[in-house]
Amino acid sequence: MGSIAVSPAAEPSGLTDHSSYFDTKNLNGFLKAKLEASELDRRTVNCIRGLVLDCCQQWGIGHGGSALGMAAIATALWRHKLRFDPAEPEWFDRDRFVMSNGHVALLQYIMLHLSGYKQWTMDELKAYCHPTANNFTNICKTHPEIEYDGLDVSTGPLGQGVANAVGMAAANKFLRQTFNKDSFNVVQSKIYATTGDACLQEGPALEAISLAGHLKLDNLILIYDNNGVQSDGPITLTFAEDVNNKMRACGWYVLEIPDGNHNVNAIITALELADRHMGSPIFININTTIGYGTTIAGTCKAHHAAFGYDNVKACKKSWGYDPEATHVIPDDVREYWSGVADKGRRAREEWRELVDRYTDRYPDLGRALEALQRGQFGSEEWREKLNSLQPPQAPTPIRQSSGMVFDELWDVLPLFGGSADLSEPNFVLKKPKEAFGPPGDGVRHQSYAGRYVHFGTREHGMVAIANGLAAYSSRDHEHQSRGQAIIPFTATFSMFQLYAAPAIRMGALMKLQVIHIGTHDSIAEGACGPTHQPVELLNLWRSIPNLLHIRPCDAEEAIGAWIMALDHHGPTVLNLNRGAVPLQKGTSRLKMQKGAYVIEEDEQAKVTLVSTGSEVYQAVDAAKLLREQGTPARVVSMPCMRRFEEQDRAYQESVIPRDGRPVVSVEAMSMHGWARWATASIGLSRFGTTVHADAVAEYFQLNAKHIARRVASYLEDIGDRNALLEPWRAI
């Protein structure tokens, strides 16, 4: 891969690329317009910097240093390159923009204001970082949040935005391959992202960069704000890599701009070159100065601070501004930027006309494209399939039952994703599926129309990429819900989902529908030992807002788990056991939609056993032993604690009695969290061990006979006392 340095001395106006559009008669007029634009670009850069200084100074807080350094980058992108319509923020074929260095959000807010987004008023900018502004409704947050117009993804945890952008590029590439026909390029948009030094040190970004290069995602342009400074000081404290050669080694095409502080034309030309490049993603290394123009420029002090009135006044004087005036946008700059909205409107209207002609020519594809734009799957065929699907009657691993459901759904839903190098044990590739990637790249049955991604062992990157796949689609602000053109999924062992927890959390924060399959979900995993046996993670998943954690107990509940996940407007973690479990008589894919339900009732019950996952059948067998001993018992399956928490009190008490009778939870995991529902718990307060899967329940005394014994001992100890008035205990 070659590197092209765009020199400021070369005055790269882009005329070589564009001169064919003009005859000699019109060339002089074009040159004059370019010169006027260059002057207005310079004034725009100063205007942006003035707004950054004022917004940070107004409340004495903010991340302004990189925003000052990136003003020329932002001018080139938003005024000259990005394809969007401020009047229709959710236009399906707009370019996507991800600010992975999310602390520079103020710069993006200023660009949205200049571009004419109605939501981004000057009053909002004046409330940037104010803790109580606009009655707590201010949208200028410290980091971008997806629910506001013009923000395609929430960023903040460094590195994840780069991976989000890779996911968006994969979605875009798939949609291009699926819908573009002949001269009808109904998907034209590209993905632009910015990154700082820190993102390029974070694991998810590096994982995603490697995969993007391998997949040759040439619709992705990553812009590096190379200012050489981090919060602790110069990056030379921790970072001495040759970034350009590293990116080339990862399969990226590299451009470098020595002066990114001023030279908007150089940046525009680099963006044009990137737009024309084919065969690999593009990395533009732009050298800038953090805190440009201030007395702390080029130092870590400029990262996050107000710059002081003396600095603000000095900068404004140097630009010919009134040093006492604040939040100023000169009239000529405002007029210059008014053209952005007109350009965007024309582009959208031309695209709409193209889609209408496309639909006339390809009616089925046209209807499918319209449905995807609305985030509609086109029919309820998937639900009909799952409602009629018969579970296997023989004992079956729940991961295998889930795989059976997954294969049924593959042809009727826009599922898109893959496994972190564990496709076979995750049961997501039992039925052959076309791989996503460049054709003829040494992988059979691979093209950009494929939907199965071989992620490699990149769990954190995998989930952050999946978030980008989900975030690519349009969303419904009015109802705060999301319609997705793609339903991403990920798969790995449950223990290794911990690698991806920060990205799973971000997906929950953004309410993105992504289905995370985690197999080998407990100590029953067996011989691989405690390094592979999650005993604590379900507490994390159960505590994350907007996320469903589902632990089905048999093949019937595996079907119901997929129904629940597909109906949920947010992420789902499916935890699935490794070994075979019997089908229970009382389980129901429909009843489980309430999160918990009775699978064995006994009106005379003296105790309720409530369990999840692969321990349910042990609880059922334990209840049978207790009845044989003269202790009537009932059994509850609770595959999803969050769904049960959402039910009304009457239903909850019909499932988990609150009349003083004991309730014992049974789960081969940590017992934290069960005190809300149970009066006592059987579980683990230690890590697992290396024992064959068939012997692990006996080793930890979690099989039916030991459960019955422990429950009987507890009942004998509590006697006739009200169990609700006793402290919760582990038994």
Side-chain angles (χ1 to χ4, degrees):
M1 299 295 171
S3 172
I4 298 178
V6 182
S7 168
E11 194 67 349
S13 63
L15 290 178
T16 302
D17 295 329
H18 295 292
S19 59
S20 61
Y21 292 14
F22 301 92
D23 56 28
T24 304
K25 179 179 177 181
N26 294 325
L27 187 56
N28 289 333
F30 175 70
L31 288 170
K32 181 179 179 182
K34 289 292 289 184
L35 289 172
E36 290 173 351
S38 296
E39 174 59 20
L40 285 166
D41 286 336
R42 184 189 67 79
R43 288 178 57 73
T44 293
V45 170
N46 290 340
C47 172
I48 293 169
R49 286 174 174 153
L51 290 171
V52 170
L53 291 170
D54 288 336
C55 288
C56 291
Q57 194 63 33
Q58 60 195 359
W59 307 117
I61 190 173
H63 290 78
S66 293
L68 293 174
M70 292 178 66
I73 296 173
T75 300
L77 265 176
W78 291 85
R79 182 59 182 82
H80 296 280
K81 191 58 190 168
L82 291 178
R83 183 170 168 267
F84 61 94
D85 181 2
E88 294 288 341
E90 302 307 325
W91 172 29
F92 189 73
D93 199 40
R94 70 191 185 278
D95 288 336
R96 269 55 169 189
F97 175 75
V98 177
M99 183 164 273
S100 188
N101 46 341
H103 53 279
V104 197
L106 174 58
L107 181 63
Q108 189 171 3
Y109 305 155
I110 291 170
M111 305 321 293
L112 292 169
H113 173 73
L114 287 173
S115 299
Y117 283 79
K118 291 181 180 179
Q119 196 173 31
W120 294 93
T121 65
M122 182 60 78
D123 285 341
E124 294 292 349
L125 292 181
K126 289 180 178 179
Y128 169 68
C129 276
H130 192 285
T132 62
N134 301 334
N135 195 27
F136 297 95
T137 63
N138 175 45
I139 65 175
C140 284
K141 313 294 187 180
T142 308
H143 295 86
E145 296 183 12
I146 194 173
E147 60 263 37
Y148 303 115
D149 289 347
L151 304 179
D152 290 319
V153 70
S154 298
T155 59
L158 293 169
Q160 285 199 42
V162 173
N164 297 158
V166 172
M168 289 182 175
N172 177 273
K173 202 75 169 174
F174 165 73
L175 294 171
R176 283 172 177 243
Q177 186 70 26
T178 302
F179 289 102
N180 289 354
K181 301 293 180 184
D182 301 325
S183 59
F184 291 95
N185 291 324
V186 291
V187 182
Q188 304 171 27
S189 51
K190 291 197 172 186
I191 316 302
Y192 295 83
T194 60
T195 179
D197 302 296
C199 289
L200 297 182
Q201 298 169 23
E202 291 281 6
L206 297 176
E207 293 173 13
I209 283 168
S210 173
L211 186 61
H214 176 72
L215 295 175
K216 302 180 180 178
L217 298 178
D218 54 10
N219 55 343
L220 172 61
I221 296 96
L222 180 60
I223 300 165
Y224 174 28
D225 172 37
N226 184 358
N227 61 39
V229 174
Q230 291 182 251
S231 293
D232 278 358
I235 63 168
T236 52
L237 290 172
T238 59
F239 195 75
E241 298 171 357
D242 183 335
V243 175
N244 288 350
N245 278 330
K246 180 177 180 178
M247 296 300 290
R248 290 192 202 97
C250 288
W252 289 60
Y253 186 66
V254 176
L255 300 168
E256 182 165 10
I257 297 175
D259 173 20
N261 291 322
H262 308 93
N263 202 332
V264 176
N265 278 349
I267 300 169
I268 293 170
T269 300
L271 291 169
E272 292 293 340
L273 290 171
D275 194 38
R276 286 164 172 73
H277 178 73
M278 299 178 66
S280 62
I282 301 92
F283 180 75
I284 307 178
N285 183 341
I286 304 180
N287 293 268
T288 66
T289 303
I290 191 170
Y292 181 82
T294 68
T295 57
I296 55 174
T299 73
C300 62
K301 292 180 180 179
H303 178 73
H304 56 281
F307 294 93
Y309 286 110
D310 290 341
N311 260 324
V312 174
K313 290 178 181 179
C315 287
K316 289 181 178 179
K317 283 182 180 179
S318 71
W319 306 327
Y321 281 29
D322 179 353
E324 302 299 329
T326 65
H327 303 87
V328 173
I329 300 177
D331 291 342
D332 58 345
V333 172
R334 180 73 77 182
E335 176 64 23
Y336 182 48
W337 279 77
S338 67
V340 170
D342 291 337
K343 182 176 68 173
R345 176 183 51 79
R346 288 194 302 272
R348 180 178 55 80
E349 289 174 350
E350 290 170 2
W351 176 81
R352 184 68 260 174
E353 292 171 1
L354 175 67
V355 171
D356 289 343
R357 296 196 305 274
Y358 174 82
T359 303
D360 289 341
R361 178 79 173 272
Y362 306 102
D364 291 341
L365 285 172
R367 284 190 293 269
L369 180 62
E370 289 292 339
L372 285 176
Q373 290 179 61
R374 295 190 298 270
Q376 296 174 348
F377 305 146
S379 72
E380 286 285 280
E381 184 180 356
W382 70 268
R383 194 182 302 275
E384 294 168 5
K385 271 183 172 287
L386 296 197
N387 284 339
S388 61
L389 186 63
Q390 294 300 309
Q393 299 300 302
T396 307
I398 301 170
R399 62 186 174 123
Q400 183 175 338
S401 299
S402 170
M404 173 193 70
V405 178
F406 180 77
D407 284 343
E408 289 291 322
L409 294 171
W410 185 257
D411 292 330
V412 296
L413 285 177
L415 295 166
F416 194 122
S419 171
D421 200 39
L422 292 167
S423 298
E424 183 174 352
N426 293 154
F427 277 85
V428 288
L429 203 53
K430 289 298 179 181
K431 178 181 177 181
K433 299 171 178 68
E434 186 174 12
F436 174 81
D441 203 35
V443 180
R444 292 184 61 202
H445 309 300
Q446 176 171 288
S447 80
Y448 289 122
R451 290 182 283 130
Y452 193 86
V453 182
H454 291 279
F455 282 106
T457 48
R458 302 180 176 104
E459 292 87 358
H460 195 171
M462 171 177 70
V463 172
I465 288 168
N467 287 342
L469 285 163
Y472 184 85
S473 308
S474 60
R475 58 187 184 273
D476 178 357
H477 284 301
E478 183 179 352
H479 301 98
Q480 290 299 303
S481 63
R482 175 174 293 276
Q484 291 184 189
I486 288 169
I487 305 174
F489 70 93
T490 70
T492 185
F493 287 172
S494 293
M495 188 66 248
F496 303 148
Q497 288 179 316
L498 185 58
Y499 280 123
I504 292 175
R505 178 186 179 275
M506 284 299 292
L509 181 66
M510 292 185 276
K511 299 181 182 178
L512 299 174
Q513 187 180 32
V514 183
I515 299 171
H516 304 291
I517 300 165
T519 64
H520 301 64
D521 76 332
S522 73
I523 56 170
E525 194 283 332
C528 281
T531 60
H532 284 51
Q533 297 168 359
V535 299
E536 70 287 1
L537 291 189
L538 80 177
N539 295 303
L540 172 61
W541 308 136
R542 286 171 177 166
S543 69
I544 295 178
N546 305 329
L547 182 143
L548 289 186
H549 171 265
I550 311 175
R551 194 167 183 249
C553 76
D554 64 4
E556 175 69 14
E557 284 197 354
I559 298 170
W562 275 94
I563 294 173
M564 190 183 295
L566 290 169
D567 280 335
H568 178 52
H569 295 291
T572 298
V573 172
L574 295 178
N575 279 164
L576 312 171
N577 86 310
R578 174 181 181 272
V581 296
L583 184 69
Q584 299 301 311
K585 291 182 179 179
T587 52
S588 166
R589 69 193 73 179
L590 300 180
K591 290 181 179 179
M592 70 170 283
Q593 300 306 310
K594 291 189 174 182
Y597 64 110
V598 180
I599 62 171
E600 284 197 355
E601 186 60 277
D602 190 325
E603 297 294 336
Q604 307 301 315
K606 295 182 178 179
V607 65
T608 295
L609 305 183
V610 54
S611 188
T612 77
S614 54
E615 289 78 72
V616 168
Y617 86 92
Q618 299 280 16
V620 168
D621 290 349
K624 180 180 179 182
L625 292 175
L626 287 169
R627 292 188 203 102
E628 292 172 353
Q629 297 166 12
T631 303
R634 58 201 292 275
V635 182
V636 169
S637 174
M638 189 182 284
C640 184
M641 194 176 286
R642 171 150 286 133
R643 275 287 178 261
F644 187 61
E645 291 169 350
E646 295 168 354
Q647 306 309 311
D648 61 57
R649 186 165 181 173
Y651 179 77
Q652 290 176 349
E653 292 186 0
S654 73
V655 177
I656 306 290
R658 307 297 287 175
D659 56 8
R661 287 179 292 172
V663 177
V664 178
S665 68
V666 179
E667 194 169 52
M669 307 272 187
S670 163
M671 294 169 283
H672 287 289
W674 275 110
R676 177 174 181 181
W677 305 111
T679 60
S681 295
I682 296 173
L684 292 175
S685 57
R686 54 159 289 182
F687 288 113
T689 192
T690 304
V691 176
H692 192 277
D694 293 339
V696 74
E698 173 67 24
Y699 181 88
F700 285 105
Q701 300 187 11
L702 286 168
N703 53 13
K705 69 176 182 180
H706 287 297
I707 292 169
R709 173 185 59 77
R710 294 162 81 169
V711 170
S713 177
Y714 167 59
L715 295 177
E716 181 180 1
D717 179 70
I718 202 170
D720 294 329
R721 298 195 302 276
N722 186 326
L724 289 175
L725 301 180
E726 298 286 313
W728 170 90
R729 67 178 81 174
I731 62 174

